Amino acid sequence: MIQTIDTFLLDVPTIRPHKLSVATMNTQTLVLVRIRCADGIQGWGEATTIGGLNYGDESPESIKVNIDTHIAPLLLGMDAGAPAKAMAKVRRTIQGNRFAKCALETALLDAQARRLDVPLSELLGGRVRDTLPVAWTLASGDTARDIAEAEHMLDIRRHRIFKLKIGLREVDADVAHVLAIKRALGDRASVRVDVNQAWSEADAVRAIARLQGGAIDLVEQPVKARNTAALARLTRRFDVAIMADEALHGPDDAMLLARMDAAGVYAVKITQSGGLLPALDVAAVARLAGIGLYGGTMLEGGIGTAATAHVCSTFADLAWDTELFGPLLLTEEVLSEPLVYRDFALQVPTGPGLGVDIDTDKLRRLRRQ
């Protein structure tokens, strides 16, 4: 039986300013959910988002209030050993709130996998890979600093895929910044860009032509999420891969984009999808439509990152790798044992459930009162 559901907000400084077209982050607010069950098992989930309401329609504060006030009461007293039944009730009753639903589903599945003494990936069909190549985001906006940061990551064998956050500056300046970094790194690294919806279609046409000519591998969400027609036109016009991110809020969007041939790659995010199982549905649509997969992040801490790692470990094809670097951007580790990054990849945890545990002392210290 589900006995208690607790939601925590943890404010954790980042190691450097993280600049997106919609916000500049100096602190990340982790939203953690703990479910305690009558048999003594507990499960953890995470509903972290980016930039408050600058990025999406859920904020850390709204997620906590909606779980505590509206969603948790639906689940208390239900059978903890039937997570699908519990989440069916939530999805039938509660509209929207994808991030909140994801955290609760993760916690229920974490608890159930611990109960069965198996890794969470085994409840999702079973893993086919134990390591996940991880991209690093270069988001200082300073070309020399970003090149130095990328060189360091190559030297320590932590990342050889780099995604540049652009869209804040004038288009030509952003393109020049990206191409200078690609020239410096050459064939030693994959360089990609994330525009976070900042460009008009006309600007995107002009910029992507130059980026494609400069051997940039991928362009993420160049235009507004709602402008799927423009996304489709760009996908047809260019050879460089166009990735849908903000336009992709679960399986229904995945189907729509596939029918429109609006993207060559899907950024699979468990929170944007509304949970781990809906994220698997997004991946299934992509596989059937011949669309590549990329494991996305909302800059979660260790809980959300581990959950996404378990999901991505089940993908037969993960052509565009992942960007599960969230914990590395934070100055504080909330897990008792950090996730393992080595040889350019994240090691998927192998213990029961998520395979990670919260450091309760750090939870108390970082928790927002």
Side-chain angles (χ1 to χ4, degrees):
M1 183 176 72
I2 299 171
Q3 281 193 326
T4 64
I5 299 176
D6 300 300
T7 312
F8 308 92
L9 302 184
L10 281 64
D11 296 312
V12 185
T14 57
I15 60 173
R16 53 152 166 78
H18 191 73
K19 296 182 179 179
L20 300 83
S21 67
V22 295
T24 296
M25 297 171 53
N26 294 288
T27 299
Q28 176 64 304
T29 300
L30 307 183
V31 185
L32 303 184
V33 173
R34 178 181 63 200
I35 292 181
R36 284 177 165 158
C37 310
D39 58 3
I41 300 290
Q42 65 178 24
W44 286 90
E46 184 170 350
T48 297
T49 183
I50 296 173
L53 293 177
N54 295 102
Y55 181 86
D57 51 11
E58 292 176 74
S59 70
E61 295 79 12
S62 72
I63 292 167
K64 175 172 171 52
V65 167
N66 286 339
I67 290 176
D68 293 349
T69 307
H70 300 288
I71 310 178
L74 296 173
L75 295 173
L76 295 177
M78 291 193 71
D79 181 1
K85 186 175 182 179
M87 287 308 301
K89 181 178 181 180
V90 171
R91 292 191 171 107
R92 184 171 61 248
T93 310
I94 301 295
Q95 300 301 309
N97 288 275
R98 300 186 314 278
F99 285 67
K101 289 173 180 174
C102 179
L104 290 162
E105 183 173 70
T106 301
L108 287 166
L109 291 172
D110 180 34
Q112 179 69 349
R114 290 175 188 270
R115 190 172 289 114
L116 299 173
D117 197 30
V118 296
L120 192 150
S121 55
E122 296 309 297
L123 300 187
L124 305 176
R127 69 179 63 185
V128 296
R129 63 188 78 241
D130 295 309
T131 62
L132 302 168
V134 176
W136 178 250
T137 293
L138 300 172
S140 76
D142 180 277
T143 304
R145 180 175 175 180
D146 282 353
I147 291 171
E149 190 172 312
E151 293 283 6
H152 175 66
M153 294 301 179
L154 288 168
D155 288 345
I156 64 175
R157 295 182 60 80
R158 209 173 75 181
H159 305 281
R160 56 186 170 196
I161 306 166
F162 299 101
K163 189 168 80 170
L164 279 67
K165 292 286 189 179
I166 59 175
L168 270 177
R169 297 180 292 197
E170 194 273 331
V171 173
D172 288 339
D174 265 341
V175 170
H177 169 68
V178 172
L179 295 180
I181 292 171
K182 177 58 181 175
R183 284 194 297 271
L185 300 179
D187 294 335
R188 293 175 296 153
S190 170
V191 175
R192 306 161 180 190
V193 299
D194 184 1
V195 190
N196 285 126
Q197 312 179 70
W199 290 339
S200 67
E201 184 176 357
D203 283 342
V205 167
R206 182 161 55 92
I208 295 173
R210 293 180 59 194
L211 294 171
Q212 178 172 286
I216 301 306
D217 294 329
L218 178 145
V219 178
E220 180 175 352
Q221 200 64 56
V223 294
K224 295 293 184 185
R226 65 181 179 273
N227 198 353
T228 51
L231 198 64
R233 286 190 290 269
L234 294 170
T235 298
R236 290 192 293 269
R237 181 168 186 152
F238 294 104
D239 293 330
V240 64
I242 305 294
M243 183 161 75
D245 177 15
E246 288 91 344
L248 186 55
H249 290 169
D252 289 344
D253 285 344
M255 281 294 295
L256 174 64
L257 293 170
R259 289 191 184 106
M260 295 179 65
D261 293 324
V265 184
Y266 283 173
V268 180
K269 295 182 176 179
I270 59 173
T271 45
Q272 295 242 99
S273 299
L276 280 64
L277 299 180
L280 292 178
D281 289 340
V282 170
V285 170
R287 177 176 58 82
L288 293 171
I291 296 165
L293 293 177
Y294 179 76
T297 183
M298 293 302 293
L299 302 179
E300 297 102 330
I303 295 293
T305 300
T308 301
H310 281 279
V311 170
C312 291
S313 76
T314 71
F315 295 164
D317 186 19
L318 189 61
W320 293 91
D321 303 314
T322 76
E323 57 178 20
L324 301 182
F325 67 91
L328 301 175
L329 190 64
L330 305 177
T331 57
E332 296 266 12
E333 175 56 74
V334 299
L335 301 181
S336 54
E337 292 291 334
L339 294 169
V340 177
Y341 294 85
R342 66 168 178 261
D343 292 329
F344 307 110
L346 168 64
Q347 313 299 303
V348 183
T350 57
L354 288 170
V356 297
D357 294 294
I358 288 289
D359 185 320
T360 53
D361 290 335
K362 288 182 179 177
L363 177 67
R364 283 191 292 269
R365 179 166 55 83
L366 294 169
R367 180 184 181 184
R368 186 189 300 178
Q369 301 301 318

